[in-house]
Amino acid sequence: MKYYSLNHNAPDVSFQEAVIQGLAIDKGLYFPESITPLPQAFFDEIENLSNEEIAFAAIRQFVGEEIPENVLKEIIAETLCFDFPVVEVEKGIYSLELFHGPTMAFKDVGARFMSRCLGYFNKDNKDNKDNKDNKDNKDSKNTVLVATSGDTGGAVASGFLGVKGVEVIILYPSGKVSDIQERQLTTLGQNIKALKVDGFFDDCQDMVKKAFLDDSLKHHNLTSANSINIARWLPQMFYFFFAYKALKKQNKPLVFSCPSGNFGNICAGIIAKKMGLPIAHFVASTNVNDTVPRFLENGIYDPKPSKATISNAMDVGNPSNFVRIQEMYNNDLAQFKKDFSSFTFTDDETIAAMKTIYATNGYIAEPHGAVGYLGLKKELENHPNAIGIFLETAHPIKFLDTVEPTLNVKLPIPKQIESVLGKDKISTKIKTYEELKAFLG
Ligand SMILES: *Cc1c(COP(=O)(O)O)cnc(C)c1O
């Protein structure tokens, strides 16, 4: 499969090159040159397929022959080593729980998939006969540079821990991620390093983008593990297939609501629809960082600096994947609006929703899931015959500072979290891009 840059000013590249580069040299995001629908038989038989078989069928065309079939199957098996339950919260409304992985965030899937692809491509380098005598090849190490607004850092740290030939540097905004999130990205050691940035998520993301384009850093072989990287982004399409498999027998139109920040998750859902998955409508639910809801309202894309909220993994002022969504709709707003809505909610509305969901249904939603629920409820008014699914993107324990006082509950600590609680946080404080460069050396 070839990938082109959405800025249309860089050469087309292979899957491998796109994964290794992250962003194209013209600063554009990579996009697959084609999306081929899966055969009808796949959808007819989906309930008889395992999650691994579904994932393999879905991702195969995007990887092509660049990873052998048996290796790709192994990567998928290691990626999907946990469950994706679809839980009925109230009549016709389901929570697709994406938080049962090692760091209890949905980003585990993308991070695990990407790290293993990169590991495979690195191993290839060392084994490559032509390169054996090449002294420069000693430096064939990759450095993954990633900005996190919360959950990416932990998922990437865990997903890449111990992967040979890959060093990981994580930038996170000081004081704007939860204690557990901070521990997940600062306590692992080995090939994982954390930088605590005096600023917002957008500042972290800007520094990372700048570093990728900085010629003086070329020797580091920098790549991204944000959802701008296709290997982080594309595997997220699996969730939508899994939910379809679980709900297919009800034979009703499906409306999906994604709590959205960088819009990678929902963008992967739209690819699934392009591949033939019958999804009636998408809702991108946001907190007060409402660049996309405003765009749908007035047609003007006007990013603003991000504001801090209780759903901090979505505190994104300029969602990087939105250009990919616009590409799929040929920048045609009218067409886009037929499939897609976007609503914004305040922290007060989010808190109220968490309380209602718990009081009425006994279900504990954390702030991101609650934002997803709110958007879903709103959109379902237009789809009386549909069933709705909101993506619950993190375990409530990840946001216990909000969940416990809001619902007046005490959450048991899952074993994945217990393992990081006692450890010391190790990070380096930085404020400017020059300090990042100095750190990289
Ligand atoms: C990253 C994240 C989101 C937002 O996902 P995008 O793909 O960036 O839109 C939502 N919820 C949680 C818990 C996250 O970590």
Side-chain angles (χ1 to χ4, degrees):
M1 173 67 81
K2 287 280 179 208
Y3 289 81
Y4 61 93
S5 162
L6 288 177
N7 283 353
H8 303 286
N9 210 357
D12 290 356
V13 296
S14 63
F15 175 76
Q16 172 168 350
E17 288 167 310
V19 173
I20 290 174
Q21 287 178 23
L23 203 61
I25 47 171
D26 63 357
K27 308 186 193 186
L29 271 67
Y30 281 118
F31 198 82
E33 70 173 356
S34 63
I35 301 169
T36 308
L38 293 168
Q40 188 52 43
F42 169 81
F43 296 103
D44 292 345
E45 305 265 299
I46 195 166
E47 58 271 42
N48 303 322
L49 301 177
S50 67
N51 281 355
E52 290 173 25
E53 289 166 330
I54 292 170
F56 180 77
I59 203 82
R60 187 67 181 139
Q61 62 176 289
F62 299 101
V63 178
E65 302 305 314
E66 294 175 51
I67 297 179
E69 185 169 325
N70 62 324
V71 177
L72 183 57
K73 284 185 172 161
E74 215 169 282
I75 290 175
I76 289 171
E78 287 178 17
T79 299
L80 301 177
C81 58
F82 47 93
D83 291 335
F84 301 84
V86 176
V87 177
E88 187 168 32
V89 169
E90 62 190 61
K91 196 163 166 34
I93 294 201
Y94 295 81
S95 168
L96 170 56
E97 294 186 347
L98 303 177
F99 56 71
H100 295 276
T103 75
M104 316 210 88
F106 82 94
K107 294 183 172 79
D108 280 327
V109 165
R112 294 172 74 79
F113 186 82
M114 178 183 162
S115 66
R116 282 154 182 81
C117 289
L118 210 51
Y120 173 75
F121 293 139
N122 261 328
K123 170 167 144 292
D124 223 32
N125 273 344
K126 267 182 242 129
D127 295 346
N128 189 333
K129 233 179 157 201
D130 294 342
N131 287 335
K132 262 203 176 135
D133 305 323
N134 183 348
K135 290 198 185 78
D136 294 345
N137 202 43
K138 272 192 197 141
D139 265 354
S140 73
K141 202 176 76 172
N142 288 107
T143 302
V144 169
L145 200 57
V146 60
T148 182
S149 58
D151 278 346
T152 304
V156 168
S158 154
F160 280 79
L161 183 66
V163 173
K164 290 208 180 64
V166 183
E167 181 168 56
V168 176
I169 297 173
I170 300 166
L171 286 77
Y172 69 101
S174 176
K176 292 176 188 73
V177 304
S178 76
D179 179 60
I180 287 175
Q181 286 176 332
E182 188 174 22
R183 282 181 198 278
Q184 286 183 321
L185 54 97
T186 57
T187 60
L188 291 176
Q190 294 187 43
N191 57 331
I192 314 293
K193 302 205 168 63
L195 295 177
K196 186 172 182 159
V197 177
D198 184 3
F200 288 92
F201 167 70
D202 291 343
D203 300 313
C204 301
Q205 182 145 288
D206 287 346
M207 281 197 217
V208 167
K209 283 188 176 163
K210 201 163 166 185
F212 289 138
L213 302 164
D214 189 336
D215 279 339
S216 69
L217 296 175
K218 271 233 150 42
H219 58 291
H220 287 289
N221 296 325
L222 294 180
T223 190
S224 79
N226 284 94
S227 50
I228 57 175
N229 193 300
I230 55 163
R232 246 294 310 277
W233 164 56
L234 287 170
Q236 303 179 109
M237 73 171 81
F238 302 159
Y239 316 137
F240 300 85
F241 288 98
F242 299 163
Y244 174 69
K245 172 184 165 182
L247 297 170
K248 181 187 162 190
K249 59 178 177 303
Q250 297 195 30
N251 203 17
K252 292 206 171 144
L254 302 182
V255 174
F256 279 93
S257 171
C258 303
S260 298
N262 258 323
F263 284 65
N265 207 355
I266 197 162
C267 182
I270 297 173
I271 294 223
K273 183 177 163 86
K274 289 241 167 212
M275 292 168 78
L277 190 69
I279 296 175
H281 202 84
F282 289 99
V283 188
S285 302
T286 74
N287 55 32
V288 291
N289 293 287
D290 61 351
T291 301
V292 173
R294 279 186 290 113
F295 171 72
L296 285 178
E297 191 84 22
N298 62 18
I300 301 165
Y301 190 78
D302 176 27
K304 298 251 164 80
S306 64
K307 299 187 194 100
T309 73
I310 56 168
S311 47
N312 64 38
M314 311 197 292
D315 292 351
V316 182
N318 189 6
S320 43
N321 284 288
F322 197 63
V323 286
R324 285 181 167 142
I325 298 180
Q326 287 191 286
E327 177 76 3
M328 281 189 274
Y329 286 94
N330 297 318
N331 293 297
D332 180 341
L333 185 59
Q335 203 57 37
F336 180 43
K337 278 178 159 173
K338 285 188 190 151
D339 288 353
F340 191 98
S341 310
S342 190
F343 304 118
T344 167
F345 300 97
T346 63
D347 279 356
D348 286 347
E349 290 170 311
T350 307
I351 292 277
M354 288 167 66
K355 288 184 171 156
T356 310
I357 298 167
Y358 186 57
T360 324
N361 315 298
Y363 189 79
I364 298 180
E366 54 69 57
H368 304 78
V371 169
Y373 170 90
L374 282 168
L376 182 62
K377 286 289 262 193
K378 197 160 172 174
E379 183 60 35
L380 281 178
E381 291 166 13
N382 305 323
H383 305 264
N385 295 320
I387 47 182
I389 303 103
F390 65 96
L391 278 55
E392 181 44 290
T393 44
H395 189 286
I397 197 79
K398 301 284 294 283
F399 297 92
L400 93 173
D401 294 349
T402 305
V403 173
E404 290 192 341
T406 300
L407 303 182
N408 200 13
V409 292
K410 185 90 190 109
L411 299 171
I413 309 251
K415 61 178 185 314
Q416 290 102 312
I417 302 297
E418 201 158 6
S419 66
V420 295
L421 283 183
K423 295 193 188 152
D424 289 337
K425 302 183 208 174
I426 298 171
S427 63
T428 304
K429 281 189 191 145
I430 66 163
K431 190 174 166 69
T432 62
Y433 180 68
E434 291 312 314
E435 287 172 286
L436 170 64
K437 276 181 82 164
F439 183 83
L440 282 162

